[in-house]
Amino acid sequence: MTLASRALAQLATWPDLRQAVPSCGQGQAVSSAKGEIVHFHSERDVDLRLTDRAIRRFAKDLRRTGAIRIVPGSQWVTLRLDAASDVDLLLTLVSVALQAQQTPSDPAERPLVGCNDQRGAGFVKADLGVF
């Protein structure tokens, strides 16, 4: 079982989440009642939708890890799943994303655009295997 499939299986047990077809058309997605949260693009690359407020709040910590890529102008962050600890980080950030969806929208929030995979912003674009 790959790290991505393990993470997807764990998220499938969360009561507020359901598996979905990603709007970008690549891989698999997980959605809440308020929209897509996670896109699994390959066995290693995952895009996670956070609010602008959450990205600003955690940007310093997110940049410290080599497993996360913040793309300027995007509400999606890209995670590289290389170790079990990266799955734990993903699950923690999904929890943050769910909590962020429950707070009122920030008037300065940018409109949601496609995930980072659509921007060609993944870690290794050649790694597009389907799991």
Side-chain angles (χ1 to χ4, degrees):
M1 178 180 276
T2 67
L3 293 171
S5 60
R6 185 181 315 159
L8 183 60
Q10 287 183 288
L11 291 172
T13 67
W14 292 23
D16 296 336
L17 300 177
R18 62 180 168 76
Q19 289 189 37
V21 175
S23 58
C24 66
Q26 178 66 39
Q28 297 181 358
V30 174
S31 295
S32 72
K34 300 217 177 184
E36 294 175 313
I37 288 191
V38 182
H39 288 180
F40 290 87
H41 293 297
S42 73
E43 293 179 358
R44 297 175 71 191
D45 288 339
V46 180
D47 283 343
L48 170 69
R49 184 171 63 94
L50 295 171
T51 61
D52 286 334
R53 182 183 300 152
I55 291 173
R56 282 191 309 270
R57 181 176 175 200
F58 296 108
K60 185 177 177 182
D61 295 318
L62 295 175
R63 285 190 176 102
R64 278 192 201 141
T65 175
I68 296 178
R69 183 177 208 181
I70 297 174
V71 178
S74 177
Q75 291 181 356
W76 296 84
V77 296
T78 301
L79 283 84
R80 184 68 170 190
L81 302 177
D82 285 325
S85 60
D86 298 332
V87 173
D88 294 339
L89 177 60
L90 173 63
L91 297 176
T92 299
L93 290 175
V94 170
S95 180
V96 168
L98 286 169
Q99 290 175 359
Q101 286 184 345
Q102 302 307 313
T103 61
S105 296
D106 183 346
E109 193 89 11
R110 294 177 297 238
L112 184 63
V113 294
C115 65
N116 291 343
D117 189 65
Q118 292 177 325
R119 297 165 182 254
F123 282 87
V124 180
K125 197 64 181 156
D127 182 14
L128 292 177
V130 178
F131 61 101

